[in-house]
Amino acid sequence: MLSFFKSFLPKPKVRTLAALQQFLDGEAAYLAQRSIVDFTRNELGILSSQAFGDQRFQDRLAVSRWDGFAGVLADMIVLTQACLQTAGAPRDKLDARLGDLYATILAGHPVPDHRPEGWTAEIAALRARLASRGDEPASPQAYAEATGARVFETLPFAPRDPVENRMVLCNALAFGMIAFNDRLRRLLMAPALRDELVAAG
């Protein structure tokens, strides 16, 4: 009951880089886990209880969940870049700090068994993505659909209709990412974060 009422409480504004880190970590984990697990349960139907009770299945599903988390988090950081860029944050400092933030969030979680080398390649790809993005509007839907297509290929079961099922998973991530982008724009205190970036030197 308490968790139900908590969903209606106003969320705190994001005024500092530390608060931004916590916000992005929680939002990415929630969207990735909810979308992938709910999709899997719905697709497996009455077989889902048996599948989720199998440790081998859980281990394979963990690949999708971890890769989904990293992908969703990267998309959210690009959306954050777009918000802070419009507030006049210096682009070189902004890109470097957001790349560092991505690495810090990933390092705050256990290294997945299927990635003993860590997230080095994903961090480098995100830094390149931040550096190459121009002034075009950010697209939460397009970002989420691309991430969903990649995650779909890691699922631990063979979907009945790959085309339709891929679309269902991509749409779930896209709806969640659009909602996140709305919260981000409402909660992010861009001038305060811009000033912290400048003061960081």
Side-chain angles (χ1 to χ4, degrees):
M1 181 65 74
L2 180 60
S3 60
F4 173 79
F5 286 111
K6 281 177 65 177
S7 64
F8 292 96
L9 295 176
K11 296 185 181 297
K13 299 291 187 180
V14 179
R15 304 177 186 277
T16 66
L17 290 173
L20 177 62
Q21 176 180 330
Q22 183 178 14
F23 176 67
L24 292 173
D25 194 351
E27 290 278 339
Y30 176 76
L31 177 55
Q33 299 284 344
R34 185 199 66 191
S35 300
I36 294 168
V37 171
D38 285 357
F39 169 81
T40 300
R41 289 191 185 281
N42 290 336
E43 179 61 18
L44 293 179
I46 60 174
L47 298 177
S48 64
S49 295
Q50 180 180 350
F52 276 84
D54 186 327
Q55 187 58 50
R56 293 169 299 177
F57 181 88
Q58 287 278 16
D59 292 343
R60 294 196 297 271
L61 184 61
V63 174
S64 301
R65 294 166 69 179
W66 277 114
D67 287 5
F69 170 67
V72 166
L73 178 61
D75 293 338
M76 289 180 172
I77 285 182
V78 174
L79 293 172
T80 302
Q81 179 204 44
C83 286
L84 292 174
Q85 189 176 350
T86 59
R91 184 62 184 268
D92 56 342
K93 293 182 179 179
L94 174 61
D95 292 354
R97 190 64 189 90
L98 289 177
D100 293 345
L101 193 61
Y102 184 59
T104 298
I105 292 173
L106 291 175
H109 295 274
V111 177
D113 291 340
H114 73 291
R115 287 186 174 273
E117 75 285 359
W119 300 101
T120 303
E122 286 68 26
I123 294 167
L126 188 273
R127 289 189 189 277
R129 183 179 172 188
L130 291 171
S132 64
R133 202 186 76 83
D135 296 328
E136 70 275 8
S139 177
Q141 180 172 349
Y143 299 164
E145 288 176 352
T147 294
R150 292 194 300 272
V151 171
F152 186 80
E153 300 303 322
T154 71
L155 291 172
F157 61 93
R160 291 169 295 179
D161 184 337
V163 174
E164 180 180 348
N165 294 152
R166 182 184 294 107
M167 181 180 66
V168 170
L169 178 59
C170 289
N171 285 345
L173 286 168
F175 287 137
M177 192 67 72
I178 290 168
F180 160 79
N181 194 48
D182 290 341
R183 286 192 296 277
L184 178 70
R185 293 183 175 277
R186 186 174 70 253
L187 299 175
L188 195 72
M189 297 291 96
L193 282 163
R194 177 199 61 209
D195 293 345
E196 185 175 349
L197 282 166
V198 172

